[in-house]
Amino acid sequence: MQTLRRNPRKRLRRAAVVAQVAVCSTVILGMGALVLDIGAAYTTQTELQVAADAAALAAAAELAGSGEGDPFELAITAANEYARRNPARGEPLAVLASDVEFGRAVLNPATGKFDFETSAGGVDAVRVTVHRQQDMGEVEVPFLFAPILGRYGMQLDARAAAVLIPRDISVVIDLSNSMGYDTQLRYWNRTDGGCSNLRDFWCALDGPEPDKPYVPASAATVDQTEYETDTGPTYGYMTNWGTALNPSSYNASTDPGLWYIRKSQLTSVPVITSLLTTTGYTADERAALLSGSLDGTTSHWRNRCGVLLGLAQWRSGKPGAAFPGGGNGDNVLSDSEVSWLASPEYAVDWNWKTYIDWVQSQSNTTFKYRYGLKTLCDFLLIDRPRYNQTNVKWATPEQPLRAVKDAVWTMTNVIESLESLDHMALETFETQGYHEVNLTDDIWQVANTLYHRQAGHRDVYTNIGAGLSRAYAELTSSRARSAAAKVIVLMSDGVPNYDEYGQYNESGARAYALRLAQQAADQGMMIYTVSVGYQSDRPLMQEIATIGRGQEFYAAGNPEEYSQELEMIFRSLGGKRPVALIE
């Protein structure tokens, strides 16, 4: 029988393997522990960074100053709030005042990006440091396994900086004739608590321009505005404004400021007879002037009406004539016998005969054939609104355009106070779109240029798409800055009715506006829309704002109410600056 003998070398190899396994296991377990702990630390660091990013963005948003209170205090509060909303490893986070640094974002030409620099003035950026706990500063995240390697924890915090991105803003304003509707005489009897400010318009025809902002009267205090004691300009015998346009009591037929002079009828206005007598017209002349029996001849009618209004003088040739010479003595007021007063300085393409014919042609029987300062102002607003017809309307408080001008002025004030590096451009639209002011850091050019525009400045219709097209062109021009956010602020009070082909086409005009809004949105432009008054196409303005990832604002009510609302809206728009992380 053979005896089995064990090999001592095998026992030695087994012992060596056991020793190696023991040593390697320690290393493997240590490395695994380190991986797990570092992984946990990395996850915590990521959570801290998320909190820091949110805190910095929230703090930067408050620097725009759109809220109530000190923007720096609001920024610290917002940073702390958003840090708490984003816990790390299930534990609360906090931001102290000492964790928040305020400064400016400086564009680095080499990188094309913003760098954060601390600054005591002109602040447009904030840097936030986030810790795990409010009272411990930078604390250790404890390790569970790594202590076997002598590592017991890791100190963690996170930092982020955010900036209020400078904006390239294109302000797009409706200048169609409806932007003067709330001043026109036909809206004297409105039922929304407002009243026509036609008297203020009349007073401003010879200055001064309205205050900034202009504050319209309410229906309860008609005409009690900055023009309350202003007498306004006078023309011929038209020196009396007459009855205030109070919606609850005004009556055109008893208004001493309006004289009923009907073609082909006897004029029986006692004050006219008195004025003719005072001027020196004889009884024979007065009888011919008051009679309408010869009005079948258009020129005779115009001339007779002009003399009755004191806008012309008649050299009748009759015995004892008020103005001797030139006449043949009959009762016909021929052109050769009548001398007209000069038209006002602001009358570019019209004269007194134009006004007389317009009042006669009105379909509104309330004011047809009623001559006076009220219908003269209405003639300017409705029939001669363009700058090349009446070149002074821009200096008057025609509504709602004046409220829009003042609101843009307020927005410009807000932007300037923020020292935001924003640039602004101005586009307007009527039947076409017009580029008014290039993108510029001299942002007051926009407000000042707009103040020199009037309702129906060049035409009377509404082409919103053309205005958006001008904005798109400017925001993609060489003047636009690559690092700036692109923003369009669009205002309109009406319904678009002119399309891209220059045709009156409401459905085509709407489609054109929406197509241009989408084109702008595709280029990253944000669109805010402002609708004014009950006639505005709010569904369209809302859709445009939705396409442009912006917001639609609505200024409703009467002129007094929407003036205040527009000021608040444009003040808010001045502070609506986008924010972005820069580190």
Side-chain angles (χ1 to χ4, degrees), residues 398-459:
E398 55 180 343
Q399 293 284 52
L401 182 55
R402 189 70 197 192
V404 171
K405 291 179 179 180
D406 290 339
V408 172
W409 181 80
T410 296
M411 182 178 76
T412 307
N413 238 338
V414 170
I415 292 173
E416 182 184 53
S417 68
L418 295 174
E419 300 181 32
S420 59
L421 301 180
D422 287 341
H423 289 186
M424 291 175 64
L426 176 64
E427 324 295 335
T428 59
F429 62 90
E430 300 147 51
T431 302
Q432 301 178 41
Y434 299 91
H435 177 59
E436 304 273 10
V437 177
N438 291 340
L439 276 169
T440 176
D441 58 354
D442 182 8
I443 59 177
W444 283 106
Q445 285 190 39
V446 170
N448 291 332
T449 300
L450 183 59
Y451 270 117
H452 285 78
R453 300 293 178 265
Q454 56 195 48
H457 193 86
R458 301 176 184 87
D459 211 334

Side-chain angles (χ1 to χ4, degrees), residues 40 79 94 107 168 182-183 219 323 357 375 384 387 451-452:
L107 187 62
D168 285 341
D182 284 346
T183 297
F323 301 95
D357 287 347
T375 52
R384 290 296 187 271
Y387 184 79
Y451 270 117
H452 285 78

Side-chain angles (χ1 to χ4, degrees), residues 27 44 117 122 130 138 144 171 198 202 208 225 233 270 279 285 302 314-315 340 349 374 398 491 507 530:
V27 174
T44 303
E117 291 185 1
V130 172
E138 295 181 357
L144 298 178
V171 180
L198 193 65
W202 163 61
T225 68
T279 301
E285 287 177 316
R302 291 195 191 108
W314 182 31
R315 300 183 306 279
W340 289 84
D349 80 332
K374 289 186 178 70
E398 55 180 343
M491 191 291 310
S507 61
V530 182

Side-chain angles (χ1 to χ4, degrees), residues 491-560:
M491 191 291 310
S492 178
D493 77 323
V495 176
N497 47 38
Y498 254 69
D499 62 19
E500 61 189 300
Y501 306 109
Q503 302 294 323
Y504 189 94
N505 178 357
E506 290 190 6
S507 61
R510 287 175 59 87
Y512 181 37
L514 291 172
R515 186 164 66 256
L516 265 295
Q518 187 62 61
Q519 182 176 325
D522 290 343
Q523 292 296 317
M525 300 176 191
M526 182 172 288
I527 306 175
Y528 295 97
T529 61
V530 182
S531 308
V532 185
Y534 67 93
Q535 292 181 319
S536 61
D537 189 346
R538 288 197 66 198
L540 174 64
M541 297 291 273
Q542 290 167 347
E543 189 170 356
I544 290 174
T546 299
I547 291 172
R549 302 179 307 282
Q551 181 179 355
E552 185 250 2
F553 297 89
Y554 179 45
N558 60 56
E560 183 183 27

